[in-house]
Amino acid sequence: MRVSSRGDVDPFIVMDVMAAAARAEAEGKRIIHMEVGQPGTPAPAAARAALARAMEDGPLGYTVGLGLPALRARIARLYGEWYGVDLDPERVVITPGSSGGFTLAFTSLFDVGARVGIGAPGYPSYKAILQALGLETVMIQTEAQHRLQPVPGDLPDDLDGLLVASPANPSGTMLDRHALGALIGACEERGAAFISDEIYHGIEYERKAVTALEITDKTYVINSFSKYFSMTGWRVGWMVVPEAHIRRIERLVQNLFICAPHASQVVALAALDCEDELQANMEVYRRNRALMMEGLPRAGFDRIAPPDGAFYVYADVSHLTDDSRAFAAEILEQAGVAVTPGLDFDPVRGAGTLRFSYARSTEDIEEGLARLARFMAAR
Ligand SMILES: Cc1ncc(COP(=O)(O)O)c(C=O)c1O
């Protein structure tokens, strides 16, 4: 049957690692998962309990397209709590994960053929979603001296949009207020839309992440319950849009998704008040990060920088390999540790990088680091 070229998106290379890890596990081997981009913890207990009650109380049918009003209001309040930003709940849209937010944002902002900039290394699905929607991805090769984030000098003049993530995946680096403001200003000069992926907000170590909404209202901010709120599988996130865009987003969400899953919206609303449990998760990430910063260089992965946020360490391994895919396969085979080849995040320079995730339990991180050290010593 005929197919579209828009649908020919690249696969995740890490899927090969995950499939090989699953085969090894089926043979009875214990694999340490440092490839995963998700917490090992469930949604907060009180949030799961809230859903159990809601399931008894009603049918959990469709919600209105923009999402449960109580959830939109509670998210608006979060902006006051986290950043001191006064946000109108009407501007908050509940989405099926941040992934649903990207589809809505790109569709709302760009016509087919528009040129949208993303930084490399970066989250691979940005490019795939842009391609699937008939948009042109402009890959911006970021530099180590800019902590692998784009800067205004990197941006071509004919850009229609720019998407940045802070903290970023895979680097974990954050844009401070000045750097974020400079990119927003450069987009305004070009008439380009600025989209801010803030999915890792809440998972920060030294200082609070800055939201684009502290700088401008003329932006789409995309966020999710997947990471800090530990709810990847529930598929619920949110987006903040300018007031003038609410109605067009409402029409799009109604037609593309009807609404985000009702059950997940109930859990999300309760999760916003589970600070104690979420902060306990943060303590684990904090401990794991310290172990990684000490253990990775000791094992021989010494070209790393402390991440500002998220739960990844992005390592330059170009002195160890020129094929990160083969190197990841070797690490899995010989050390029993699954890691992500950098090629997923940067098709050009990623052959010389690996991403290590420390989202799982501290025991797993300790075991993984010990295995990596033995593997490197024997190499
Ligand atoms: C930077 C970034 N943005 C967005 C997503 C998608 O998350 P979700 O659709 O679960 O909200 C991810 C997932 O790993 C990510 O790393």
Side-chain angles (χ1 to χ4, degrees):
M1 206 174 137
R2 55 171 291 144
V3 294
S4 71
S5 56
R6 286 187 300 135
D8 271 335
V9 300
D10 290 333
F12 284 150
I13 294 166
V14 72
M15 288 298 175
D16 296 342
V17 179
M18 290 165 88
R23 280 196 300 277
E25 281 169 333
E27 288 164 10
K29 290 198 191 124
R30 181 161 178 252
I31 301 299
I32 301 296
H33 290 278
M34 288 189 168
E35 86 285 26
V36 288
Q38 64 174 339
T41 45
R48 286 179 278 132
L51 175 59
R53 287 193 299 277
M55 286 196 299
E56 298 307 319
D57 289 350
L60 294 178
Y62 297 136
T63 67
V64 289
L66 293 173
L68 291 174
L71 178 56
R72 296 170 68 203
R74 181 65 187 86
I75 290 171
R77 189 144 68 77
L78 185 73
Y79 280 81
E81 294 165 3
W82 276 9
Y83 316 102
V85 166
D86 185 15
L87 180 64
D88 178 358
E90 290 297 316
R91 292 177 54 199
V92 180
V93 185
I94 310 304
T95 59
S98 71
S99 304
F102 297 129
T103 305
L104 288 166
F106 298 160
T107 310
S108 168
L109 293 169
F110 307 119
D111 282 312
V112 169
R115 288 163 51 77
V116 182
I118 54 173
Y123 177 57
S125 299
Y126 298 146
K127 181 167 173 281
I129 300 170
L130 289 167
Q131 180 183 332
L133 292 174
L135 303 168
E136 191 183 328
T137 302
V138 179
M139 276 288 185
I140 299 165
Q141 292 296 324
T142 63
E143 294 181 32
Q145 60 174 348
H146 301 133
R147 308 191 63 242
L148 301 180
Q149 291 278 5
V151 293
D154 296 334
L155 308 184
D157 288 340
D158 59 350
L159 221 48
D160 296 302
L162 177 70
L163 168 58
V164 300
S166 167
N169 175 10
S171 66
T173 61
M174 294 196 317
L175 293 160
D176 62 19
R177 184 187 296 262
H178 176 78
L180 192 59
L183 286 170
I184 290 170
C187 284
E188 274 171 9
E189 279 166 22
R190 288 165 174 77
F194 186 81
I195 305 169
S196 184
D197 179 353
E198 303 186 353
I199 185 171
Y200 290 104
H201 279 218
I203 308 181
E204 307 121 348
Y205 302 102
E206 312 285 346
R207 61 203 155 88
K208 188 88 202 81
V210 180
T211 172
L213 293 174
E214 289 173 53
I215 298 166
T216 182
D217 283 326
K218 290 191 200 122
T219 179
Y220 277 34
V221 166
I222 294 181
N223 208 321
S224 174
F225 286 91
S226 288
K227 310 290 175 164
Y228 175 69
F229 295 95
S230 194
M231 290 175 51
T232 48
W234 298 85
R235 309 310 306 135
V236 60
W238 74 89
M239 192 159 75
V240 181
V241 300
E243 197 185 337
H245 291 226
I246 300 168
R247 185 66 189 128
R248 59 188 287 108
I249 290 290
E250 182 175 29
R251 291 193 303 262
L252 283 166
V253 86
Q254 281 167 346
N255 286 286
L256 291 178
F257 304 115
I258 300 187
C259 63
H262 190 158
S264 304
Q265 295 190 54
V266 171
V267 181
L269 177 58
L272 282 156
D273 288 317
C274 293
E275 198 53 20
D276 290 352
E277 192 173 332
L278 297 171
Q279 282 304 317
N281 294 347
M282 271 308 295
E283 282 315 305
V284 175
Y285 300 146
R286 208 176 286 285
R287 229 177 9 254
N288 292 355
R289 175 178 178 264
L291 287 168
M292 296 289 272
M293 292 324 290
E294 196 194 298
L296 284 175
R298 210 187 303 141
F301 299 103
D302 51 1
R303 298 189 184 177
I304 58 174
D308 300 323
F311 31 56
Y312 310 114
V313 178
Y314 196 52
D316 176 354
V317 292
S318 56
H319 55 308
L320 302 171
T321 184
D322 59 4
D323 184 349
S324 59
R325 182 202 293 244
F327 195 36
E330 191 184 329
I331 295 173
L332 178 65
E333 165 75 24
Q334 291 175 30
V337 179
V339 301
T340 306
L343 285 168
D344 265 341
F345 311 104
D346 184 339
V348 180
R349 298 170 299 178
T353 57
L354 290 179
R355 188 193 73 176
F356 297 89
S357 165
Y358 54 88
R360 293 300 175 99
S361 70
T362 300
E363 298 74 60
D364 275 13
I365 299 305
E366 283 169 339
E367 173 65 20
L369 287 169
R371 290 184 185 194
L372 289 171
R374 284 198 295 275
F375 163 80
M376 291 293 279
R379 206 164 176 260

